[in-house]
Amino acid sequence: MRFKTLINHPADWIIGAGAQHPVVITSRIRLARNLRQFSFPGWATKQERIELLDLVQPSLENLSVMKEAFSQSMNQLSALQKQVLVERHLISREQAARGEGSAAVISRDQSVSIMVNEEDHLRIQSIVSGFHLHEAHQKIADLDQELEEILPFAFDREWGYLTACPTNLGTGMRASVMLHLPGLVLSQQIGQALNAASHLRLAVRGLYGEGTESLANLFQISNQSTLGESEETIIESLERFIKQVVDAEMSARERLLKEELPLVLDHVGRAYGILTHAHVLSSKEALSHLSMLRFAADLDFLPETAKSICDALLMKIQPAHLQMQTDDELDPSQRDHIRAEIVRAQLQSLGSPVKDNGDRSSNDPFLI
Amino acid sequence: MRFKTLINHPADWIIGAGAQHPVVITSRIRLARNLRQFSFPGWATKQERIELLDLVQPSLENLSVMKEAFSQSMNQLSALQKQVLVERHLISREQAARGEGSAAVISRDQSVSIMVNEEDHLRIQSIVSGFHLHEAHQKIADLDQELEEILPFAFDREWGYLTACPTNLGTGMRASVMLHLPGLVLSQQIGQALNAASHLRLAVRGLYGEGTESLANLFQISNQSTLGESEETIIESLERFIKQVVDAEMSARERLLKEELPLVLDHVGRAYGILTHAHVLSSKEALSHLSMLRFAADLDFLPETAKSICDALLMKIQPAHLQMQTDDELDPSQRDHIRAEIVRAQLQSLGSPVKDNGDRSSNDPFLI
């Protein structure tokens, strides 16, 4: 599959049915796996990394899930293409910095992606829309088994799967969900709600994982511990906590609607007003307003289609996606203009009236 | 005339033909006059002030321009009513703080207002829309002559009209214009453009005169000198400078449209988007966005009616006017909700499409 084909196809986890969950955007599982008798990528010479890649790439491409997959060595991709894959959460920022000897193998529907020679020999990820950790885990467990039959994984009876970094030792598994929590943020309860995560050895991160800030009321929560517990136990513990956060978010939304309706209307109204009328829009500002529109759709202030339009835009308006779309190297100021144009155009199609109000049509002299 | 009648009638200088000037909102002349053999108000006893008021009020009410005028002593007005008159520029903040012995006599069309026992015995103001200083001056000169025939003004052949404060001595005249300068502010040339004012002994002030900040790109420019020059010379010198500022503003707008169109569209678009969708709106924020809409109307981005709607709103949304309209004592947070409601409702009527774009109709799910 060519890069263009991959990019023009919206990821399954964006358009999938699970995308309709009001809080959990995606569920993700990744496994770290290494091959016996090969140095970890950080210790291996370039030649050794190339040898390992040559060995595993055909096996990965032959996996049933990888039919017509996208499979490229990092040095075959431009900086912009790599950045697009990062924005889609298909490779890590670390992998994007690598070249020959490292690769990405990505399934056609983008629900499974495998990085070769990132921190470990293999980083296998399964991502599904909505709150479906078990489904994501089942998918990746099947794949893991399929691979285990053909590749000699480094496994120790006492320690489990061996990994480059001890924090991944054992299951080698990281389960994570991306949560949209505008209710908790607006009612200033977010700190309290996520506070318990650290006691449960769960990590809270921003939109792009470790060390990134929270944007657009999006929070990534994942397990920190990989040792001494089974995959199932880890997932169930994460799932229990996420259920609590989802409940807290839903209560916060209910309370906001009951007690602070003008505040909510003001936030979502302004977001809509700005997105449909701005002509200069930074990525950060657009994300934050789109978050409010998604919230508005959840609250039935906008037609149901608004949610998928927002989710698609959240992806499209990011810097590399924007440049890829326009086939142009754009400087940040040009990007801000084109981003505003794309957002205005897309949100125009939201024009159908809301159920509880018969006539909302109007002539807006600025809607162009 | 009752207070309600006064307030429900929009001031002539808001709806007058001159309101269509792209830069000069109003031209204003005020005269300071005092009566011989009466102490200045600041030195007079309360009894003396009441005596003077009793003497002059009937004469003022009998002026031809004051037919069916509003004529009230300050102690007959509530704090809210006084604040409304301040917001309309019909009395000063200083006069609003006064009680028995001070009064306001205001013509039905609000183009002439006289304060009795403010800093001077009489402060006579004429205000017209647009750039018409001579017209405003002619009006007030006629009135001055009419009064001079019935009231013994304190006048010295060498010094001219005697006033409580030496800065008004001589002509006793202050001529001022209110300018809307979004082009110079947006292109960051405002400091440079107004810099020359001080060399010409002109004062630059904010929306409510001395000591107030500039809001909504509105600047008040007036003469500082009253001594040693004729009224005509003072007005002509002010007029010359204002013409320069108007030219600078028009060039700035032209350059912005040519070189920075997306910036302009972004500013006016956001202002429109926020005003038509916000549910909580402070007076300051509303003023600043309305300034951008007035700018948009000047640039033909909005139908011509937009300008008078904006000018009327600039008045209506101020705190005291808002409370007067709703017949309620409102706390600031309630005011912010009602202000947003009024602005949304008024701007809905702006709905006709712009000339250069055939189809701008749309269904905006948030326009309620």
Side-chain angles (χ1 to χ4, degrees):
Chain A
M1 182 164 66
R2 291 174 56 233
F3 187 82
K4 277 267 164 190
T5 318
L6 177 83
I7 288 316
N8 290 336
H9 186 77
D12 190 57
W13 55 267
I14 291 180
I15 53 165
Q20 299 315 317
H21 194 283
V23 179
V24 186
I25 314 264
T26 54
S27 301
R28 196 147 55 126
I29 308 277
R30 74 107 173 103
L31 300 177
R33 293 291 181 261
N34 290 278
L35 269 60
R36 249 179 276 149
Q37 294 172 328
F38 283 87
S39 304
F40 289 129
W43 283 264
T45 63
K46 186 173 168 185
Q47 198 45 48
E48 287 174 315
R49 289 203 303 276
I50 292 173
E51 269 168 40
L52 181 123
L53 177 57
D54 288 345
L55 176 73
V56 302
Q57 199 165 11
S59 309
L60 300 179
E61 289 169 0
N62 273 330
L63 286 164
S64 52
V65 76
M66 290 300 184
K67 208 177 156 204
E68 296 182 67
F70 172 85
S71 179
Q72 295 277 323
S73 166
M74 282 299 115
N75 56 322
Q76 292 173 302
L77 294 170
S78 70
L80 185 60
Q81 289 176 319
K82 290 176 180 181
Q83 190 52 35
V84 167
L85 297 179
V86 171
E87 289 176 359
R88 285 212 177 187
H89 298 276
L90 294 171
I91 66 171
S92 63
R93 291 188 294 180
E94 291 71 21
Q95 185 75 338
R98 289 186 170 77
E100 208 182 347
S102 291
V105 182
I106 301 167
S107 73
R108 198 172 172 80
D109 67 1
Q110 299 165 52
S111 70
V112 178
S113 67
I114 304 176
M115 292 186 284
V116 182
N117 283 328
E118 201 241 25
E119 185 181 286
D120 294 295
H121 292 147
L122 299 179
R123 284 282 178 104
I124 312 168
Q125 166 184 281
S126 152
I127 184 165
V128 299
S129 62
F131 194 14
H132 299 293
L133 282 166
H134 292 286
E135 188 191 301
H137 182 239
Q138 193 52 55
K139 204 167 189 175
I140 212 166
D142 293 348
L143 190 74
D144 187 34
Q145 205 163 8
E146 212 179 326
L147 278 176
E148 195 125 33
E149 282 164 21
I150 42 175
L151 296 176
F153 285 160
F155 182 82
D156 179 278
R157 290 190 65 112
E158 191 180 347
W159 294 104
Y161 289 99
L162 304 180
T163 54
C165 176
T167 57
N168 290 310
L169 195 62
T171 60
M173 185 186 79
R174 183 88 64 218
S176 71
V177 290
M178 183 74 80
L179 302 178
H180 187 228
L181 304 174
L184 289 168
V185 172
L186 269 186
S187 54
Q188 299 180 301
Q189 294 180 293
I190 188 73
Q192 191 189 332
L194 298 183
N195 199 21
S198 61
H199 304 301
L200 298 165
R201 297 208 288 165
L202 300 173
V204 179
R205 298 187 173 107
L207 186 52
Y208 291 107
E210 217 159 330
T212 64
E213 64 179 322
S214 163
L215 285 174
N217 306 309
L218 291 170
F219 297 85
Q220 212 183 100
I221 299 182
S222 61
N223 64 304
Q224 286 192 294
S225 117
T226 54
L227 200 58
E229 288 174 305
S230 76
E231 285 87 339
E232 277 309 317
T233 312
I234 292 170
I235 289 173
E236 274 159 21
S237 152
L238 175 64
E239 209 174 27
R240 252 192 321 276
F241 177 68
I242 298 304
K243 274 183 185 150
Q244 284 173 28
V245 178
V246 170
D247 286 349
E249 169 67 18
M250 296 313 278
S251 311
R253 291 183 187 184
E254 211 172 298
R255 202 171 40 249
L256 280 168
L257 281 184
K258 215 184 282 169
E259 294 165 22
E260 307 253 33
L261 185 59
L263 176 88
V264 175
L265 286 173
D266 190 55
H267 271 84
V268 301
R270 280 168 185 261
Y272 181 85
I274 291 173
L275 289 177
T276 50
H277 292 89
H279 283 247
V280 181
L281 209 50
S282 74
S283 169
K284 220 163 158 174
E285 187 188 0
L287 283 175
S288 122
H289 297 322
L290 285 170
S291 156
M292 280 297 110
L293 284 206
R294 194 184 205 274
F295 186 42
D298 284 336
L299 301 175
D300 287 332
F301 293 163
L302 281 175
E304 189 60 27
T305 48
K307 206 140 119 185
S308 39
I309 293 178
C310 286
D311 287 346
L313 275 177
L314 281 169
M315 191 58 72
K316 275 188 207 167
I317 58 149
Q318 293 181 77
H321 272 78
L322 210 63
Q323 296 193 55
M324 200 53 79
Q325 249 166 297
T326 54
D327 271 325
D328 245 335
E329 282 271 340
L330 303 170
D331 65 39
S333 125
Q334 291 171 311
R335 286 208 292 266
D336 290 352
H337 292 159
I338 291 173
R339 181 177 294 113
E341 235 170 73
I342 292 174
V343 169
R344 289 203 315 277
Q346 286 280 314
L347 291 184
Q348 286 258 40
S349 60
L350 271 189
S352 66
V354 170
K355 291 164 211 138
D356 60 347
N357 190 317
D359 181 24
R360 293 194 178 192
S361 66
S362 80
N363 277 328
D364 180 337
F366 281 111
L367 281 187
I368 49 173
Chain B
M1 180 164 67
R2 292 174 55 234
F3 187 82
K4 276 268 166 190
T5 318
L6 177 84
I7 287 315
N8 290 336
H9 186 77
D12 190 58
W13 55 266
I14 291 180
I15 53 165
Q20 299 314 316
H21 194 283
V23 179
V24 186
I25 314 267
T26 54
S27 301
R28 196 148 54 127
I29 307 278
R30 73 107 172 103
L31 300 178
R33 293 290 181 262
N34 290 278
L35 269 60
R36 251 179 275 148
Q37 293 173 327
F38 283 86
S39 303
F40 289 130
W43 284 263
T45 63
K46 187 175 168 185
Q47 198 44 48
E48 288 174 316
R49 290 201 303 276
I50 293 173
E51 268 168 41
L52 182 123
L53 177 57
D54 287 346
L55 174 74
V56 301
Q57 202 166 9
S59 310
L60 301 179
E61 289 169 1
N62 273 331
L63 286 166
S64 51
V65 75
M66 288 302 184
K67 209 178 156 203
E68 296 181 67
F70 172 85
S71 178
Q72 295 276 323
S73 166
M74 282 299 115
N75 57 319
Q76 292 173 302
L77 295 169
S78 70
L80 186 59
Q81 289 176 319
K82 290 175 179 180
Q83 189 52 36
V84 167
L85 296 180
V86 171
E87 289 176 358
R88 285 212 177 186
H89 299 276
L90 294 171
I91 66 171
S92 64
R93 292 189 294 180
E94 291 70 22
Q95 184 75 337
R98 290 186 169 80
E100 207 183 345
S102 291
V105 182
I106 301 167
S107 73
R108 200 172 170 80
D109 68 359
Q110 298 164 53
S111 69
V112 177
S113 67
I114 303 176
M115 292 186 285
V116 182
N117 283 327
E118 201 239 25
E119 186 181 284
D120 294 295
H121 292 147
L122 300 179
R123 284 283 179 104
I124 311 168
Q125 167 185 280
S126 153
I127 185 166
V128 299
S129 62
F131 193 14
H132 298 295
L133 281 167
H134 291 287
E135 187 191 303
H137 181 240
Q138 194 51 57
K139 206 167 189 174
I140 211 165
D142 292 347
L143 191 73
D144 188 33
Q145 206 164 6
E146 213 180 326
L147 278 175
E148 196 125 34
E149 284 164 20
I150 42 177
L151 296 175
F153 285 160
F155 182 82
D156 179 278
R157 287 191 68 113
E158 191 180 348
W159 294 103
Y161 289 99
L162 304 180
T163 54
C165 177
T167 57
N168 290 311
L169 194 63
T171 60
M173 185 187 79
R174 182 89 65 219
S176 71
V177 290
M178 182 74 80
L179 302 177
H180 188 228
L181 304 173
L184 288 169
V185 172
L186 269 185
S187 55
Q188 301 180 304
Q189 294 179 291
I190 188 71
Q192 192 188 330
L194 298 184
N195 199 20
S198 61
H199 304 301
L200 298 166
R201 296 208 290 165
L202 300 173
V204 180
R205 299 187 171 106
L207 186 51
Y208 292 107
E210 214 159 333
T212 63
E213 64 179 322
S214 162
L215 285 175
N217 306 309
L218 291 170
F219 297 84
Q220 214 182 99
I221 299 182
S222 60
N223 64 303
Q224 286 191 296
S225 118
T226 54
L227 199 57
E229 287 175 304
S230 74
E231 284 89 338
E232 278 308 318
T233 312
I234 293 169
I235 290 174
E236 273 159 23
S237 154
L238 176 64
E239 208 173 28
R240 252 193 321 276
F241 178 68
I242 298 304
K243 275 184 184 149
Q244 283 173 28
V245 177
V246 170
D247 285 349
E249 168 68 18
M250 297 313 278
S251 311
R253 291 183 187 183
E254 210 171 298
R255 203 173 37 252
L256 280 168
L257 281 184
K258 215 184 282 171
E259 293 165 22
E260 307 254 33
L261 185 59
L263 176 88
V264 175
L265 287 173
D266 190 55
H267 272 84
V268 301
R270 280 167 185 261
Y272 181 86
I274 291 173
L275 289 177
T276 50
H277 292 88
H279 283 248
V280 181
L281 209 49
S282 75
S283 169
K284 219 165 159 172
E285 188 188 359
L287 283 176
S288 122
H289 297 323
L290 284 170
S291 155
M292 281 296 111
L293 284 206
R294 193 185 206 275
F295 186 42
D298 284 336
L299 302 174
D300 287 332
F301 293 164
L302 280 175
E304 190 60 27
T305 50
K307 207 140 119 184
S308 39
I309 293 177
C310 286
D311 287 345
L313 275 176
L314 281 168
M315 192 57 74
K316 276 189 207 166
I317 58 151
Q318 294 182 75
H321 272 78
L322 209 63
Q323 296 193 54
M324 200 53 79
Q325 250 166 297
T326 54
D327 270 324
D328 244 335
E329 281 271 339
L330 303 169
D331 65 38
S333 125
Q334 290 171 311
R335 285 209 292 266
D336 290 353
H337 292 158
I338 291 174
R339 181 177 294 113
E341 236 170 71
I342 292 175
V343 170
R344 289 203 313 278
Q346 286 280 315
L347 292 185
Q348 286 258 39
S349 60
L350 272 189
S352 68
V354 169
K355 292 164 211 135
D356 61 347
N357 191 315
D359 181 24
R360 292 191 178 194
S361 66
S362 80
N363 279 326
D364 180 338
F366 281 109
L367 282 186
I368 48 175

